[in-house]
Structures are given as C-alpha cells and as structure tokens.
Amino acid sequence: TVPRDRMTGLPALDELPAGLAAAVRPAGGPTSVIFLDIDGFTWVNDQLGHRQGDEILSNPRLARFPR
C-alpha cells in the first residue's frame, strides 16, 4: 500500500513521482500538477510543530493567525 498523509489522506509527498506516473499511464493524455505554497506557513511548522500546523490547516477557525 502507498503511505498516506494522515490529515489529507493523499499519497505521501515522497511517493508523489511514482503515484503521478501510475495515475497518468492509464489516461494517456495531458496531465497537470498544481503545488500550493502558503506564504509564511513554514514558520508555523517550525515554531509550533507539524501536528499543530496540520490542526491549523484542517480547522478554518484556527487559520486566522496574526502575521
């Protein structure tokens, strides 16, 4: 089985290349990939930890943190 991110349920980032290759092969058509980067969120993970960062991302009420 493919390791999954516990918050999103998506394949883990380190499995992304193999997962994309497997997903594209059956379709055989053009494929796009979008990466989302949230400015300044590295600070949250570095200062509060990844578990707290996941909680903030999954709870819109907590997402309003000061800049």
Side-chain angles (χ1 to χ4, degrees):
T1 63
V2 176
R4 300 253 173 205
D5 179 85
R6 68 178 179 76
M7 185 179 81
T8 65
L10 296 171
L13 188 57
D14 56 346
E15 299 294 327
L16 186 62
L20 283 174
V24 170
R25 225 174 278 123
T31 302
S32 297
V33 176
I34 298 173
F35 285 93
L36 178 66
D37 181 29
I38 301 172
D39 287 341
F41 204 79
T42 299
W43 179 90
V44 173
N45 283 333
D46 290 348
Q47 297 300 311
L48 305 177
H50 288 272
R51 191 176 306 257
Q52 187 66 32
D54 288 351
E55 179 66 25
I56 290 169
L57 288 174
S58 63
N59 187 337
R61 203 171 40 88
L62 297 177
R64 295 185 182 119
F65 55 91
R67 292 181 176 249

